[in-house]
Amino acid sequence: MSKSPFQSNDKALAKRWAAWQPRPANGSGAKPVSLKDFDPDATPFMNGEKAQAKEDVQALAIELDTLQDLLYADRRYKLLVLLQGTDASGKDGTVRGVFGSMSALGVHAVGWKAPTEPERAHDYLWRIHQRVPGAGELTVFNRSHYEDVLVPVINDWITPEQQRQRLAHINDFERMLSETGTVIVKFMLHIGFEEQRERLQERLDDPTKHWKFDMGDIAVRKQWADYQKAYETLLAATHTPWAPWTIVPANSKTHRNLMIATVLREVLQNLDLRYPPGDPGLEHFTVE
């Protein structure tokens, strides 16, 4: 791979993409990212009406299916996609809308919950390492190891020093994965406080969505400001050249899918994927 998969030759796309990557608050690298700088209502990747954007998402899904097939055949890389965000930010919808057209052969989705007792008996990255993609595979994490620098921080289960240690551990872990062939694409799905309220209420109003509602979501909602601060800290600390973050304004579900699909297409195209050469002995073989 001659260049970083996170660089685009399309100058317009590169500019739009860069605008939604973490940047230090007030221009100081010593300060955390400010999520107030990123409008969750924005739709920077939409060039037209919503109907056109939906068509674009469908077209991109077909392109991504072809690229995923090429990734699987090539086998030189592994692709790990992280979807991180607050409750109701659209992680499940992204899995369906962006990855739903891909072959199940080489695509895996992992939904992370609270660690089990056996998992807690090991270090917090132990269970994560077991589910990263193998050669040619694309794995989507619905939530991720970043929960381990969110929930324990908000609930004071770890000290500030342990928080800093974990952020450093994660950077080292992701660098090791990157240096051994894993391309890591991280998306933070950014919705507003009012948008979350509407989506949680929708789950209550629709009997078919009651299964998605958890009273624990209400308790977490009361900690909104604390979670925003914790996200700002992790975004600043773990936005690295080998595993950069993209903040996705996600109040619009259609835009969310369009932006993520566009970025993923760019990353996969940058890998210069190719089908392996066939057996020369089959060149003139005829099936009778």
Side-chain angles (χ1 to χ4, degrees):
M1 186 166 47
S2 59
K3 68 172 185 177
S4 166
F6 311 111
Q7 296 176 348
S8 176
N9 292 325
D10 183 330
K11 292 183 179 179
L13 173 59
K15 185 175 181 180
R16 279 184 294 166
W17 189 359
W20 290 91
Q21 292 186 317
R23 55 188 183 274
N26 302 319
S28 172
K31 294 184 179 180
V33 169
S34 175
L35 283 173
K36 292 180 180 179
D37 292 338
F38 300 89
D39 181 4
D41 275 320
T43 55
F45 280 63
M46 285 176 64
N47 296 318
E49 299 296 325
K50 183 177 180 180
Q52 180 60 53
K54 286 187 174 181
E55 291 182 11
D56 292 342
V57 171
Q58 292 175 350
L60 281 164
I62 294 172
E63 286 190 68
L64 288 173
D65 176 47
T66 300
L67 287 165
Q68 180 268 319
D69 182 70
L70 192 51
L71 174 76
Y72 187 77
D74 187 298
R75 300 280 173 141
R76 285 180 297 150
Y77 302 104
K78 312 109 174 180
L79 184 61
L80 176 60
V81 180
L82 270 60
L83 302 178
Q84 192 66 47
T86 60
D87 296 322
S89 60
K91 298 178 290 295
D92 292 346
T94 300
V95 173
R96 290 192 299 270
V98 176
F99 303 94
S101 296
M102 294 182 183
S103 167
L105 189 62
V107 177
H108 309 284
V110 182
W112 292 103
K113 305 294 184 182
T116 63
E117 192 62 37
E119 289 170 343
R120 284 195 295 270
H122 295 79
D123 67 86
Y124 65 96
L125 289 173
W126 176 79
R127 63 175 184 159
I128 305 297
H129 205 166
Q130 295 180 76
R131 303 301 298 272
V132 299
E137 294 180 342
L138 189 162
T139 297
V140 184
F141 279 2
N142 183 335
R143 300 187 187 273
S144 67
H145 40 291
Y146 284 96
E147 292 295 306
D148 291 300
V149 285
L150 287 167
V151 179
V153 171
I154 303 304
N155 292 289
D156 294 323
W157 296 341
I158 61 175
T159 66
E161 176 59 26
Q162 288 172 320
Q163 178 189 15
R164 288 189 289 270
Q165 285 178 342
R166 288 190 176 194
L167 290 168
H169 294 160
I170 288 172
N171 281 342
D172 289 340
F173 174 63
E174 292 178 347
R175 185 173 66 244
M176 181 274 293
L177 291 177
S178 175
E179 291 175 352
T180 53
T182 301
V183 178
I184 306 168
V185 191
K186 304 187 295 195
F187 296 103
M188 189 269 183
L189 278 51
H190 182 39
I191 62 170
F193 188 65
E194 177 60 20
E195 179 68 20
Q196 187 196 52
R197 186 199 67 77
E198 292 179 5
R199 293 185 185 185
L200 291 175
Q201 186 64 48
E202 181 183 347
R203 293 178 181 180
L204 286 171
D205 294 342
D206 185 347
T208 67
K209 294 184 178 181
H210 283 181
W211 66 273
K212 298 180 72 174
F213 185 83
D214 189 324
M215 283 303 296
D217 296 343
I218 302 301
V220 170
R221 178 171 164 77
K222 294 178 181 178
Q223 299 171 306
W224 177 273
D226 292 333
Y227 271 96
Q228 294 291 290
K229 181 179 178 181
Y231 265 110
E232 290 171 344
T233 299
L234 75 83
L235 286 167
T238 61
H239 178 63
T240 60
W242 56 88
W245 280 101
T246 299
I247 298 170
V248 181
N251 278 2
S252 165
K253 299 175 183 179
T254 301
H255 173 268
R256 174 200 72 209
N257 290 348
L258 178 63
M259 183 171 176
I260 291 173
T262 301
V263 169
L264 285 176
R265 178 183 63 180
E266 191 71 13
V267 170
L268 283 164
Q269 288 178 338
N270 284 342
L271 296 180
D272 191 26
L273 299 168
R274 55 182 181 265
Y275 288 107
D279 183 348
L282 300 178
E283 185 175 349
H284 302 292
F285 186 83
T286 300
V287 178
E288 298 180 0

